[in-house]
Amino acid sequence: MPVTTRTGFPVPDNRMGQSPCSPVGAVVDALLDLGRLALVLGGVERTACYHPDQAARETVTDHTVMLGWTAPALAARCYPHLDTGLVAQYALIHDAVEVYAGDTQTLLISPEERQAKADREARATARIHTEFRDRLPWFPEMISRYERQTDPEARFVRVLDKVLPKITHLLDELYGLLEFGISRTEFADSMVAQARQLQEQVGEEFALLLEVHANLVARVLRHPAWGFFPAPGTAEPTTRDGGRSGDR
């Protein structure tokens, strides 16, 4: 019977002297290819999100590190029954498909755009499986396990993934939202729809996360930048609903 790890991955049988890392050259080639993808991911910029300096855009790598730190930390404090190691693994790979699919803004997304996003990500997943399933199988397998959302750890990470952009919005003083042209009303409507969807998906399982989501959304909506932050590229202040003062 094959031996498996705690998370279900098979361990190669070494009784005949075969090393799981043989030949080494092939392993190194696989590591180079995966490392190359990691560097590409660091160049994928997220929509409507900046660093606090309002100069550098948040990248998918920035977001992944933020989720990789906050998810196990929050799980350990508030949901100790979850496997924090598994939480960290899901956080690490949750947006890996964007290396090929790119980032898609979802604040003002149409049903057609959402379907196109799903199609791009499905193609990206298939490509990653083709490239790594026989060389570094943990990587594509964890992506698939995350997408199946069978484990509570995967569902926890998916909900927190929806929460984190509000942290970035607050840290960049809403600069990304205003640059993208999102009004306060549009943001509020989008968050109502998102909260409703999360409630339907995991409302009872992760009620505290929904409270965190609501608290952060309320802070974003109360932020004074909606009324006094100059619209990017102009000297005009925005109005309370996100439009320029000259629009009225």
Side-chain angles (χ1 to χ4, degrees):
M1 176 179 293
V3 179
T4 60
T5 64
R6 183 164 170 264
T7 53
F9 290 98
V11 176
D13 188 343
N14 294 345
R15 287 175 296 182
M16 302 303 292
Q18 181 182 5
S19 168
C21 286
S22 177
V24 171
V27 173
V28 171
D29 288 342
L31 292 175
L32 283 168
D33 288 341
L34 189 55
R36 186 177 296 108
L37 287 191
L39 294 178
V40 170
L41 194 67
V44 178
E45 296 179 338
R46 286 169 54 83
T47 303
C49 292
Y50 274 80
H51 284 230
D53 64 5
Q54 298 179 351
R57 290 183 180 272
E58 181 189 43
T59 69
V60 177
T61 297
D62 297 330
H63 171 70
T64 297
V65 172
M66 187 187 295
L67 188 60
W69 289 3
T70 58
L74 186 60
R77 173 168 178 173
C78 301
Y79 294 97
H81 65 284
L82 296 179
D83 181 338
T84 54
L86 191 53
V87 166
Q89 290 184 67
Y90 283 134
L92 186 62
I93 55 81
H94 82 287
D95 272 347
V97 296
E98 293 189 6
V99 72
Y100 290 135
D103 177 67
T104 304
Q105 72 82 16
T106 56
L107 283 168
L108 300 176
I109 190 170
S110 68
E112 294 77 17
E113 290 169 332
R114 193 175 295 279
Q115 183 58 55
K117 173 180 183 291
D119 292 343
R120 286 194 302 274
E121 292 179 353
R123 290 193 296 270
T125 299
R127 181 173 176 179
I128 289 171
H129 272 264
T130 298
E131 293 175 351
F132 292 102
R133 65 189 172 202
D134 296 325
R135 302 192 297 161
L136 296 172
W138 172 89
F139 186 54
E141 176 58 24
M142 286 303 294
I143 292 172
S144 293
R145 286 180 60 180
Y146 177 70
E147 290 303 322
R148 287 195 293 269
Q149 291 286 290
T150 302
D151 297 330
E153 290 82 1
R155 295 191 294 275
F156 174 84
V157 167
R158 175 155 288 178
V159 177
L160 190 57
D161 176 42
K162 306 302 182 187
V163 170
L164 290 197
K166 290 69 172 171
I167 292 177
T168 305
H169 296 327
L170 290 169
L171 293 177
D172 76 4
E173 303 285 343
L174 311 194
Y175 186 85
L177 288 173
L178 294 171
E179 182 197 53
F180 191 65
I182 299 290
S183 73
R184 185 178 185 276
T185 299
E186 288 170 331
F187 179 80
D189 290 346
S190 178
M191 292 303 100
V192 168
Q194 186 178 75
R196 185 183 302 117
Q197 182 182 46
L198 294 176
Q199 177 67 42
E200 293 172 354
Q201 293 174 346
V202 295
E204 295 184 7
E205 187 176 24
F206 297 118
L208 176 64
L209 285 186
L210 300 188
E211 292 182 31
V212 172
H213 180 274
N215 186 289
L216 283 166
V217 168
R219 293 188 189 206
V220 172
L221 291 174
R222 290 197 305 265
H223 201 285
W226 291 115
F228 302 107
F229 194 90
T234 78
E236 298 180 56
T238 56
T239 60
R240 280 293 177 184
D241 68 355
R244 295 181 188 174
S245 57
D247 293 342
R248 292 179 175 243

